[in-house]
Amino acid sequence: MRRYRRQAARIERRGARAATRGGLNPLLAGGLVVALLGLAWSRGALPAWLPIAAAPRFITIQGRLVAVPAPVKDAVRVLPHVGVASSGSYAFLDVTASGAPVGFDPCRPVGYVVRPDGAPAAGDQLIAEAVATISGATGLAFVDAGYTSEEPVLDRPLVQARYGDGWAPVLLAWSDDGAYPELSGPTAGLGGASVVPAAKGSGEFLAGGRVLLDAPDLTAILASPDGYARARAVIVHEVAHVVGLDHVADAAELMAPTMGALTELGPGDRAGLALVGQVPCDGA
């Protein structure tokens, strides 16, 4: 249950200022204006009143320059926000300078894919119910994008041709500690996401994300008393990491580092999840 390291490095963009002097040849002046507008567009510094699309923001990921997906025009939340109706212990994996949580853009659906290799028979149902639990607690809309053959590596690429333009969807995959030593010992799952810059402004959001589940461990849990609820709780815990929650030292919360008999979200879990689901939309 560890955090991803930030994979995105922002590229500084500076505004361009243009000045004109009297006496210029009209054709030369016009060409100069076009050139300056082109430079301003390339640096994302066009005036808001111009009917020209702003240049995309670029970041470097694993040595590759990629465009940050543009915000949705006139964006509104996909689902209504969830109010904070409880109190308890919660913590965020990433926060802004003001202490607010960094979360997924609530104006975009959060796509997810499943790598089913080695999954127990109830694997798909467990994942669907866990994702629905997090969606209901955050107000984030999750979309099942189907199966994938992608390997659940730790340094997962944020942009992949197999998924088209934009950030890769959240990956939920089954494996074991033989293939992934991260799952050794009592660790039944791992979850996290990456922090990326907003398409506009200075904000940050979560993107990508990976949940790696230990199939033998969860199969053993499923065979125990109340096993289905306990296995589902493990996946809920990991998806909560993906959307931004950290561990808390409180056994009354599902986000405690060591999970006991608790199988449902605690009051602090719900409060924290509501808050990570309330971040402003990109471009708002």
Side-chain angles (χ1 to χ4, degrees):
M1 304 174 187
R2 63 186 70 172
R3 296 171 52 186
Y4 273 90
R5 282 182 264 171
R6 295 191 179 191
Q7 300 178 34
R10 280 195 218 135
I11 290 181
E12 182 180 0
R13 301 186 303 167
R14 299 174 181 171
R17 300 179 63 185
T20 58
R21 297 180 180 177
L24 284 177
N25 180 289
L27 290 177
L28 179 60
L32 181 60
V33 169
V34 170
L36 288 172
L37 284 175
L39 176 62
W41 180 88
S42 70
R43 297 187 177 184
L46 281 175
W49 49 264
L50 279 177
I52 302 174
R57 171 173 290 181
F58 287 88
I59 60 175
T60 301
I61 299 176
Q62 297 175 327
R64 176 186 172 195
L65 199 64
V66 300
V68 175
V72 180
K73 185 178 180 181
D74 302 322
V76 295
R77 292 186 61 98
V78 182
L79 296 177
H81 86 277
V82 176
V84 178
S86 59
S87 61
S89 301
Y90 60 83
F92 305 121
L93 285 168
D94 295 282
V95 295
T96 65
S98 65
V102 176
F104 281 87
D105 182 354
C107 289
R108 298 178 190 268
V110 181
Y112 72 94
V113 291
V114 176
R115 186 175 186 269
D117 305 43
D124 283 356
Q125 185 176 341
L126 285 166
I127 287 174
E129 291 183 12
V131 168
T133 296
I134 297 299
S135 177
T138 58
L140 294 172
F142 286 80
V143 175
D144 182 353
Y147 292 130
T148 183
S149 60
E150 181 191 354
E151 292 284 343
V153 295
L154 177 60
D155 293 324
R156 182 181 182 233
L158 270 175
V159 178
Q160 300 184 42
R162 75 176 77 206
Y163 301 121
D165 295 333
W167 307 127
V170 177
L171 170 65
L172 295 103
W174 301 87
S175 192
D176 55 50
D177 58 9
Y180 292 90
E182 311 154 68
L183 295 173
S184 61
T187 302
L190 297 163
S194 296
V195 177
V196 298
K200 294 175 63 177
S202 59
E204 293 179 320
F205 291 91
L206 297 179
R210 179 194 74 150
V211 171
L212 181 59
L213 301 169
D214 192 314
D217 283 359
L218 286 167
T219 298
I221 290 173
L222 284 166
S224 66
D226 202 21
Y228 185 90
R230 291 177 57 211
R232 181 179 57 204
V234 170
I235 304 175
V236 170
H237 177 109
E238 301 308 336
V239 180
H241 279 316
V242 169
V243 299
L245 284 196
D246 201 353
H247 289 144
V248 293
D250 187 342
E253 307 294 349
L254 199 60
M255 295 311 294
T258 301
M259 297 175 60
L262 194 64
T263 59
E264 301 292 340
L265 292 170
D269 301 323
R270 292 192 176 278
L273 289 168
L275 290 170
V276 297
Q278 290 180 14
V279 302
C281 295
D282 195 356

